Structures are given as C-alpha cells and as structure tokens.
Amino acid sequence: MTATEMVRAENVHKSFGHLEVLRGIDLAVATGQVCCVIGPSGSGKSTFLRCINHLEKVSAGRIWVDGELVGYRERAGKLHELREREVAEQRSRVGMVFQRFNLFPHKTAVENVAEAPVCVQHEPRSAARARAAELLDRVGLADKLSTYPGQLSGGQQQRVAIARALAMKPKVMLFDEPTSALDPELVGEVLDVMKDLARDGMTMIVVTHEIGFAREVGDLLVFMDEGVIVESGEPRDVIANPQHNRTKAFLAKVL
Amino acid sequence: MTAEKVAERVRPEPIRAVPVRHPGRWVAVAVLAVLVAMFAHLLATNDAFKWSFMVDNMFRPPVVEGVRGTLVMTVAAMIFGVVFGVVVAIMRLSTNPILKSIAWVYTWFFRAIPRLVLLAAFGNLGILWSRLELGVPFDTEIGKLFGIADVQLRFWGISTRDLLVGFVVGLLGLGLSEAAYMAEIVRAGIQSVDPGQAEASAALGMNRGQILRRIVLPQAMRVIIPPTGNETIAMLKDTSLLIYVPVTAELFFRLDGIGKRTFLPFPMYVAATLWYLFLTSILLVGQFYLERYFSRGYGQGQRATMRLRGLRAEQGGLRPDPGGAP
Ligand SMILES: Nc1ncnc2c1ncn2[C@@H]1O[C@H](COP(=O)(O)OP(=O)(O)OP(=O)(O)O)[C@@H](O)[C@H]1O
Ligand SMILES: [Mg+2]
C-alpha cells in the first residue's frame, strides 16, 4: 500500500453466526479524503465502520489504518491478536461519532471532551480542559462548557461528540449516520462542523443519507448493499449517472 | 392575530367555582384522631413502660458504647459488602466462565441462608479449627502417599481464639452475606447503563478498567445508590442479630443485658426501638443527599433548573412586553 493511504480494507468479511453481514469489502481512502458511504438499512455500513476500529473483529480479510494492521500483528506469516492495551492505543487514533451521540451524561460538555486525553493520554487535567474548551469553541459551543448533555439540543450534543473525538487528535474520523437522530433544522449545524473538518484536511469516512453533503464535500462515494460495495466513484458521477440498478433504485428513493 | 387586537380584548372574570368536597377525608381524620388519643393514653398511663427507668438506662455509658459499636459494625460490614459485592458483580459479568460460575454459586449460597443462622454458625466456627494455618492442602495425606510420616508444609498460623473474636466473626458473617446482595444490586446497576457508553469509551481508546471505573460505575450509581441505602438501613437493624455470635459491644446486646439483669425487659426493648428509630432517620437523611449527588446531569437537576427559570420569569425576567401577546 502507498504512504498516502490512510485506511485500506482488503476483502473484509464479517459474520454474526450464520448471518454474513460483510461479504468482501475492498476500500482505500487516501489521507485527507472524505469518503461517504450510502446504502439501504442492514447493508452492513455500521458493521464495516465498527470493524475499522476493531469494535467488531473481522471474520476474514485485513484492514490497515495509517499503514498499521488493525487488531493483529503479523509475524512469520501468522496473525497474532493484539493485547487489549494495544487495541486501545490503535482505537485512540481513530475518532468515532455515533448516531445516538453516546455522550457521558454524568459529565459536563468540557469534561466529556477532556475525559479521554486525561484518562488515556495522561495529559494534565488543566491542559486537557483548556484544549477541550478550544475544541468546543471550534464547534461553536464556547458558551456551553459546563452544561450537561441532558440540557443540550441534539445538534449541540452531536457537536460535543465530534469535539470529544477530535480531542484524541485522531488520524481518521468515522461518522455513523451523525445526523439521522436529529430534527431537520439541527442537521445543518452538524454538517457545517463536518465540512469545516474536511476543509482542514481530516480524513473522514461518513455513513450518511445526506446526499447533498456527499456531493458537496465527498471525494469518494461508496454505495453498499448486502455486504458488498456495489459501486463507488466520484460522488457527482455516481449520483448523476449510477451504473447499477440497485444504486439507481436506492438513489431514486433518497433523492 | 396582531398585537393590537390582543390588547383590545377584555380579560375575562377569574373563575370562582365551588371546589369538590371530600367528606371521606374528614371521617378518616376523626377516626385517626381517636386512635392517636388511645395510643397516647396507653403510653402515658400504663406503668409497664417505666419511662423514667427507661430514660435513666437508655443513655448509660455501656449503652452509648453499644451505639458506637452498632454504627462501627454497620459501616464496616457495608464497606466490606460493597467492595466485595462489586468484585463479585464484575466476576458475574465477565466473559470468563469460571469466574462467572464462582460468582453465581457465591450469591446463591449466601442469599439462601438466613442471617441469623449464618451468624449463629459463624459464632461456632472455632469448633472447626483450633488453629488457622496457611500452607499446602492435604500435606500430611500427600506425605503418607510417599511413605513419609507427618509431613507439614505450613507457613503461617494463628490460634482461632485470637482471630475469631466476636467483632471479626460478626463482621465476616454480615459482610459476606451483604456482599451477595450488593453483587446483585451492582450487577443490575451496571446492566442498566446504555451499552453505547462503553462502546463510545472503547472507541476513544479507554481500556476495560477505565471504562468501568470512570464511565459505567458512576452512571450505575444512580441505580445502585437507592437500594444500597435500603441495605444500609437493613444492615443497621441486622446488627441486632449479632447477639447470637455473640458480639458484646453492640446496642441490642447491651439493652437486652440491662433488661435481663433488672427483670424489666420491656422498657429496654422500647429503648432499643427509639434508638433504632433515631439512627435509621439519620441514615435516611444521608441517603437523600447521596441520591441527589449521583443524579446530577439527569432529570431531577433539569427539573430544578426549570423551576429556577420559572421563578425568574415570575419575578419579571421574562415578562411579556405590553404590546406583545400575553
Ligand atoms: N452484534 C450483532 N449481532 C448479530 N447481528 C448483527 C449485529 N450487529 C449487526 N447485525 C446485523 O448485521 C446486519 C447489518 O447491520 P448494520 O448495522 O451494519 O447495518 P447498516 O447498514 O448500518 O444499517 P442501518 O442503515 O439501519 O444502520 C443487520 O442485519 C444486523 O441485524
Ligand atoms: Mg447503521
């Protein structure tokens, strides 16, 4: 693989018991690229994202992030599982944003953001809080530092969640339908933050139903169905003239 | 609707309706008043209470010492129970099948035995061993197998009479039993936390210990604290069972002793009732503040803020301007 590739997946399979959810995914995302993933419900989009930071173990195939094999070490042609500590360290370099935010409800916004730097990277508490405040300012929440998640709107919560992931200085950000749980009028504020991030050169893999976002910001659009990548390419091309019938049918529904 | 139109409209007369009557309540009040009067009469006129005798004895130094013993035992047994209970709960939730079954057997065993029976049995543990020793199990038997007589591989020992003093036995009995109940409470608390929390923490690079300590347990506390408060109160009351070990530095043992010695047990039982009422009430207050602390960031705090906002609005903070809608 080349040095400019941030994420690379080769023939990734994943089964839950007899259910084969991923059936051979190949994907390469270059550093600084924004890759948008679309596809019908149950096609395996979330599962694939979760495989990238080893929240799920792949059944077959390999994934590399920044040139490093995810979850395993290859020695003399044999795969060895990484220890918990090593897996945690790999994960700390991959930011993840969830559909349901998953903020820590017992911690204020600034504590949510500062938690992992203090806990995982052993950053001094005061420095971490100062950096957390900067990040919250960057996502437009400078006035909500000591507010608990329960008192924030969905859009604000999701922006805190993005700041929380950024606090670990990740090399790549994974977004799993970040705007699907939001009221329509709150979607824009979250997408704006993500556009900012993309402009700053963050490598991003975004599962989304926001075709407009994919067209505007995406460098690569991937259409997944039934555990395989059916079609991928320049977002404008794929959206304007999809090659496969399944892609056409799906786009007709969401556009 | 424009603002002018609203201003033009006349404000209707306030409603003055006849409220619903509740005749049943008055009947209930009357009945209760009679019952309370009867009870007061009993307390005041029946000589068996021996109030002055009771008051004289209730605060004597040995009794106060007993109160201290009861409180110390309650706190110690609860700390033992909570710490060990958390360990058992984590074992129960682990993916390791051996740890899991050990934890299951533990909770099954100690929840099945009445505390009274457990304490009485623990009081007689000295019968099993005269000395407690640490070493290789079956050492003498293994020695015989190889034809060597009297092999002893023991590193450390202590006479059970030194070790199994009443307090230690009582603490062990109550603590082990409590740990079984606490394990169930903690397990329910941990399971009540949204799995998305652990997932988000793992995605940030936190390890299992950190996730449990910093994210899951603090949230589980909200579910764990109320039943733990109840357990503490139950524990305070169950220290009276220590009389069967026996533990001498304990409230009920002391009051019971005075009652037996003076052949006036009843006033001393009333004294015990009053003491336990008093101590339990203090615990209830403590529980209230703990619950409030651990529900921060959740509904109750939110409701309090809403109430504050409402207050400010009433004081003119959000008063609608004269031209605007009411
Ligand atoms: N832990 C699991 N155990 C068993 N089956 C699972 C598990 N996680 C996901 N699945 C199954 O895998 C399939 C793909 O799920 P996944 O969440 O990846 O889909 P998705 O493309 O993200 O869908 P959606 O758009 O609804 O989020 C589904 O059929 C789901 O039921
Ligand atoms: Mg999904």
Side-chain angles (χ1 to χ4, degrees):
Chain A
M1 66 184 283
T2 62
T4 58
E5 261 176 16
M6 183 54 81
V7 177
R8 179 178 185 81
E10 259 179 26
N11 204 9
V12 170
H13 288 254
K14 172 72 193 174
S15 311
F16 293 108
H18 292 297
L19 181 69
E20 199 171 26
V21 177
L22 299 180
R23 299 185 295 143
I25 302 275
D26 292 291
L27 182 72
V29 180
T31 303
Q33 257 193 341
V34 175
C35 169
C36 292
V37 181
I38 58 173
S41 179
S43 55
K45 308 180 298 288
S46 301
T47 306
F48 178 58
L49 274 197
R50 291 159 52 79
C51 286
I52 294 176
N53 64 1
H54 209 54
L55 284 175
E56 301 284 0
K57 280 184 189 167
V58 300
S59 313
R62 311 255 161 112
I63 298 177
W64 290 266
V65 171
D66 198 23
E68 206 178 302
L69 189 59
V70 172
Y72 301 92
R73 177 182 298 116
E74 201 161 15
R75 217 188 280 143
K78 252 191 160 175
L79 283 187
H80 298 259
E81 273 186 22
L82 291 185
R83 290 167 197 288
E84 193 199 349
R85 191 166 39 80
E86 297 165 313
V87 171
E89 200 189 309
Q90 284 190 337
R91 282 186 187 139
S92 71
R93 276 174 260 141
V94 178
M96 187 154 191
V97 175
F98 301 85
Q99 183 175 352
R100 307 240 21 110
F101 327 133
N102 293 350
L103 290 179
F104 307 134
H106 60 304
K107 290 178 184 290
T108 61
V110 79
E111 286 167 353
N112 261 279
V113 179
E115 177 68 21
V118 170
C119 195
V120 178
Q121 294 172 329
H122 307 293
E123 201 172 318
R125 191 166 292 271
S126 55
R129 286 181 77 100
R131 219 157 53 75
E134 272 169 39
L135 281 166
L136 285 171
D137 186 28
R138 182 169 161 197
V139 297
L141 291 172
D143 55 337
K144 299 286 182 193
L145 296 189
S146 44
T147 311
Y148 285 100
Q151 292 157 340
L152 294 172
S153 75
Q156 291 169 334
Q157 287 191 52
Q158 195 60 299
R159 285 186 280 154
V160 175
I162 293 172
R164 179 176 70 174
L166 289 176
M168 295 301 284
K169 301 181 182 142
K171 301 204 151 156
V172 52
M173 288 279 284
L174 311 176
F175 293 84
D176 192 358
E177 304 196 31
T179 57
S180 295
L182 298 179
D183 292 339
E185 77 267 23
L186 302 178
V187 169
E189 62 190 56
V190 173
L191 292 183
D192 284 344
V193 168
M194 291 168 60
K195 284 176 198 167
D196 259 359
L197 262 183
R199 225 170 288 133
D200 289 349
M202 176 62 78
T203 313
M204 294 161 54
I205 301 182
V206 186
V207 174
T208 184
H209 294 303
E210 300 290 331
I211 301 295
F213 174 85
R215 185 165 26 207
E216 188 185 335
V217 186
D219 300 298
L220 183 68
L221 182 64
V222 170
F223 173 68
M224 262 177 83
D225 195 11
E226 294 180 356
V228 292
I229 293 180
V230 176
E231 188 166 350
S232 69
E234 179 80 18
R236 276 165 219 284
D237 296 344
V238 176
I239 294 164
N241 52 49
Q243 300 300 308
H244 290 259
N245 286 335
R246 280 193 275 175
T247 319
K248 279 179 201 159
F250 179 78
L251 285 173
K253 259 183 258 164
V254 296
L255 279 176
Chain B
M1 201 188 293
T2 64
E4 283 157 46
K5 262 191 194 158
V6 173
E8 274 167 25
R9 282 178 66 180
V10 194
R11 198 189 153 135
E13 224 175 281
I15 291 174
R16 272 192 215 94
V18 180
V20 176
R21 310 276 182 207
H22 298 282
R25 284 185 196 169
W26 292 105
V27 177
V29 166
V31 171
L32 277 177
V34 171
L35 287 176
V36 168
M38 282 165 73
F39 187 60
H41 176 255
L42 171 77
L43 291 182
T45 59
N46 196 316
D47 287 338
F49 281 103
K50 301 237 180 300
W51 291 113
S52 65
F53 167 78
M54 189 199 85
V55 173
D56 284 346
N57 284 285
M58 203 175 154
F59 301 104
R60 276 173 43 189
V63 177
V64 174
E65 200 182 301
V67 171
R68 191 162 353 108
T70 289
L71 288 178
V72 169
M73 183 59 96
T74 305
V75 171
M78 279 313 291
I79 291 175
F80 187 117
V82 168
V83 171
F84 202 43
V86 169
V87 173
V88 174
I90 292 169
M91 282 167 66
R92 188 79 193 275
L93 290 172
S94 86
T95 46
N96 181 332
I98 298 167
L99 292 182
K100 234 176 172 159
S101 26
I102 292 174
W104 185 86
V105 170
Y106 180 87
T107 41
W108 165 74
F109 184 80
F110 279 98
R111 288 210 307 167
I113 304 173
R115 273 193 185 159
L116 177 61
V117 176
L118 191 69
L119 289 174
F122 266 46
N124 291 285
L125 271 189
I127 287 182
L128 282 184
W129 312 284
S130 55
R131 279 178 67 76
L132 208 59
E133 293 175 319
L134 222 58
V136 180
F138 295 112
D139 47 0
T140 320
E141 289 76 5
I142 293 172
K144 272 190 207 138
L145 216 61
F146 290 95
I148 315 163
D150 238 20
V151 175
Q152 293 214 333
L153 296 170
R154 299 178 193 179
F155 319 122
W156 178 83
I158 184 171
S159 154
T160 47
R161 225 174 325 144
D162 301 337
L163 181 72
L164 297 179
V165 292
F167 185 85
V168 175
V169 173
L171 176 63
L172 219 59
L174 288 176
L176 287 175
S177 155
E178 186 57 41
Y181 291 94
M182 283 311 303
E184 289 299 286
I185 292 170
V186 171
R187 185 167 72 106
I190 289 176
Q191 283 177 330
S192 75
V193 177
D194 172 15
Q197 292 289 309
E199 187 155 281
S201 324
L204 285 166
M206 292 163 78
N207 62 37
R208 266 190 305 225
Q210 290 168 329
I211 295 171
L212 193 69
R213 260 198 330 277
R214 306 194 47 110
I215 306 299
V216 175
L217 274 182
Q219 291 182 60
M221 280 302 180
R222 214 166 42 98
V223 175
I224 293 173
I225 289 288
T228 304
N230 297 339
E231 287 294 313
T232 310
I233 289 165
M235 178 59 80
L236 180 85
K237 295 186 286 183
D238 280 356
T239 52
S240 59
L241 298 175
L242 292 172
I243 202 168
Y244 287 93
V245 171
V247 176
T248 53
E250 183 265 318
L251 174 62
F252 189 60
F253 184 92
R254 295 287 161 95
L255 289 170
D256 186 62
I258 298 173
K260 291 219 166 89
R261 230 178 311 115
T262 55
F263 298 103
L264 288 170
F266 185 67
M268 287 299 98
Y269 293 151
V270 175
T273 307
L274 294 176
W275 265 119
Y276 284 115
L277 259 179
F278 171 70
L279 296 175
T280 312
S281 308
I282 292 176
L283 289 185
L284 282 171
V285 174
Q287 188 181 8
F288 169 80
Y289 284 104
L290 262 182
E291 278 179 34
R292 203 172 59 172
Y293 175 77
F294 278 104
S295 62
R296 71 199 191 283
Y298 292 93
Q300 295 206 341
Q302 247 163 292
R303 249 175 277 141
T305 344
M306 293 303 282
R307 241 177 281 136
L308 275 178
R309 266 189 221 137
L311 219 71
R312 253 178 268 137
E314 271 163 37
Q315 287 164 353
L318 290 173
R319 184 177 294 154
D321 56 333

